[in-house]
Amino acid sequence: MDLQKVIKTAKALVADNKGLLAMDESIHSCNKRFALLGIPETVEARRAYRELIITTPNLSEFISGLILCDETFRQSKRDGTPFIKVIEDAGIIIGIKVDAGEVDFEGHPGEKIAIGLDGLSERLAEYAGMGARFAKWRGEIIIGKDIPSKDCIDANAKSLAKYAALCQEAGLVPIVEPEVIMDGKHPLCRCLEVTKEVLLSVFNQLQLHNVALEGILLKPNMILPGLNCAIQESVEEVADATVRFLLKSVPLTVPGIAFLSGGQPYQLATEHLNAMNAQFKDKLPWALTFSFSRAIQQPVLELWKGNKNNVEKAQAALFHRSKCNYAACRGEYDITMEYS
Ligand code: 13P
């Protein structure tokens, strides 16, 4: 294991206030988003969309790493250049999603467990050989009546830790993503309570599996009220609750925390990240950045709509959202950026 290499990559991913772009939606999730906009659910449409993203000029000014899914990892530009080469040439670090999605957690109605540990070492070795330098695994925790159970939290934490240990063994930085899902009417304090339990279990399992915390990135949810909760806290309240909680729960040796957006409106996700850095940046032991998918891609997809004539304006939107989130990492985002 070359731990120094892993640590160096982890630091590079969060250096210079840059963030990550998750473009690793499974074929199923990508198709669902395409269907809503009337975009054909085909291999070629997914390829064309991903080509649009990775060929956006100067994306590396704001984005340090791109997370791909297996399909995208093996695809090429229309002119035959492998995507991996395009991304490397752009100076962006390549990541790969390696969980195989989630299935029902047996004996626990309404709960899910991420799968994909079978044959994972072999897959990681192949991805690393092809140019990947980091990986991602997402374990989903659902809030509902009497859930999540401790069993589900611990089982997902254990899988995340096994995956993280295998990644470091293969020379890849593991992005550890325990996502407490936003759907529901629960208040912010319930999200806080569950996320607390989840991160406690995750760091406990990481330690049991001898994962070097200097060589991981944490990708958590922000501390938010459920999407359908009647009381929606202010941007400052969310930022405050999230950072105070993370300061108590995330060891100082972790180099960076890169949030998922979780279905928040994209501008609000940027405002939350900005408020956290504006208020706390000087006091934080780790970088606080983004690893958004929907909160960067949504406006891009809506402009593109599967039409090649829209590529340029969709790329401009991708560049813009990335720039706004980069500003948020410095606490320098301002709403007027949206109109400039
Ligand atoms: P969202 O930003 O859309 O939540 O996606 C992040 C991600 O990578 C989910 O695994």
Side-chain angles (χ1 to χ4, degrees):
M1 157 162 40
D2 187 349
L3 188 57
Q4 287 317 311
K5 181 179 115 182
V6 172
I7 293 172
K8 204 168 151 203
T9 305
K11 284 188 183 148
L13 282 166
V14 295
D16 304 327
N17 297 301
K18 292 187 192 180
L20 289 87
L21 169 56
M23 50 178 289
D24 61 328
E25 305 79 19
S26 63
I27 293 174
H28 177 69
S29 304
C30 191
N31 282 346
K32 267 204 314 206
R33 288 176 201 167
F34 278 15
L36 286 173
L37 293 165
I39 301 169
E41 298 159 57
T42 60
V43 181
E44 175 49 25
R46 292 191 298 275
R47 193 207 60 74
Y49 177 57
R50 265 75 186 243
E51 175 168 340
L52 176 162
I53 295 178
I54 66 169
T55 57
T56 296
N58 305 318
L59 198 59
S60 65
E61 281 180 34
F62 317 122
I63 300 291
S64 58
L66 283 174
I67 314 176
L68 313 179
C69 68
D70 184 79
E71 180 183 66
T72 312
F73 195 79
R74 298 174 195 282
Q75 284 176 324
S76 300
K77 264 174 65 179
R78 210 177 159 73
D79 70 7
T81 318
F83 279 176
I84 290 172
K85 177 163 174 20
V86 178
I87 298 168
E88 268 172 1
D89 288 351
I92 297 179
I93 304 173
I94 298 169
I96 178 79
K97 165 209 171 81
V98 297
D99 65 74
E102 64 278 321
V103 294
D104 292 341
F105 185 45
E106 220 170 291
H108 292 77
E111 298 195 274
K112 302 279 181 195
I113 176 90
I115 52 168
L117 287 169
D118 286 347
L120 182 57
S121 306
E122 291 75 20
R123 286 194 289 134
L124 292 174
E126 188 198 2
Y127 290 133
M130 288 173 73
R133 290 170 56 199
F134 71 102
K136 180 193 113 169
W137 177 292
R138 172 178 167 273
E140 172 179 316
I141 303 294
I142 299 166
I143 296 181
K145 187 172 168 340
D146 300 329
I147 60 171
S149 63
K150 184 161 177 1
D151 281 355
C152 182
I153 289 175
D154 290 346
N156 272 296
K158 205 176 209 168
S159 301
L160 274 165
K162 283 186 182 165
Y163 137 84
L166 291 174
C167 281
Q168 291 190 337
E169 198 63 48
L172 300 173
V173 175
I175 294 201
V176 174
E177 182 181 0
E179 175 175 5
V180 177
I181 301 288
M182 265 182 91
D183 297 350
K185 289 187 183 160
H186 56 271
L188 178 144
C189 60
R190 178 76 178 128
C191 172
L192 174 63
E193 178 182 60
V194 171
T195 311
K196 218 181 246 179
E197 208 183 324
V198 168
L199 289 201
L200 190 67
S201 181
V202 165
F203 282 108
N204 184 27
Q205 289 295 335
L206 289 172
Q207 193 182 12
L208 289 172
H209 288 81
N210 292 320
V211 174
L213 297 184
E214 316 89 279
I216 72 162
L217 294 182
L218 179 69
K219 178 164 173 168
N221 49 281
M222 297 178 188
I223 303 299
L224 296 162
L227 273 174
N228 298 319
C229 178
I231 300 171
Q232 296 286 322
E233 277 75 5
S234 69
V235 168
E236 284 67 30
E237 285 167 329
V238 166
D240 199 71
T242 303
V243 175
R244 286 186 197 286
F245 155 69
L246 291 172
L247 281 169
K248 284 193 210 132
S249 309
V250 181
L252 311 182
T253 40
V254 172
I257 298 176
F259 290 106
L260 59 93
S261 59
Q264 302 174 65
Y266 55 83
Q267 202 168 304
L268 190 57
T270 308
E271 287 179 55
H272 284 145
L273 179 61
N274 183 65
M276 291 181 214
N277 281 307
Q279 282 185 54
F280 295 100
K281 195 170 179 62
D282 298 344
K283 306 180 188 73
L284 302 178
W286 4 255
L288 213 48
T289 183
F290 58 93
S291 177
F292 297 159
S293 166
R294 282 164 289 179
I296 292 184
Q297 290 191 53
Q298 195 55 39
V300 180
L301 207 48
E302 284 167 9
L303 282 167
W304 177 56
K305 291 201 192 84
N307 182 339
K308 65 177 184 317
N309 297 326
N310 296 333
V311 166
E312 256 181 53
K313 59 181 174 190
Q315 287 184 328
L318 179 63
F319 185 84
H320 174 71
R321 282 265 52 83
S322 304
K323 185 177 181 177
C324 290
N325 285 307
Y326 170 73
C329 291
R330 287 172 288 138
E332 291 173 5
Y333 168 77
D334 188 293
I335 203 91
T336 56
M337 281 181 75
E338 302 294 348
Y339 313 108
S340 56

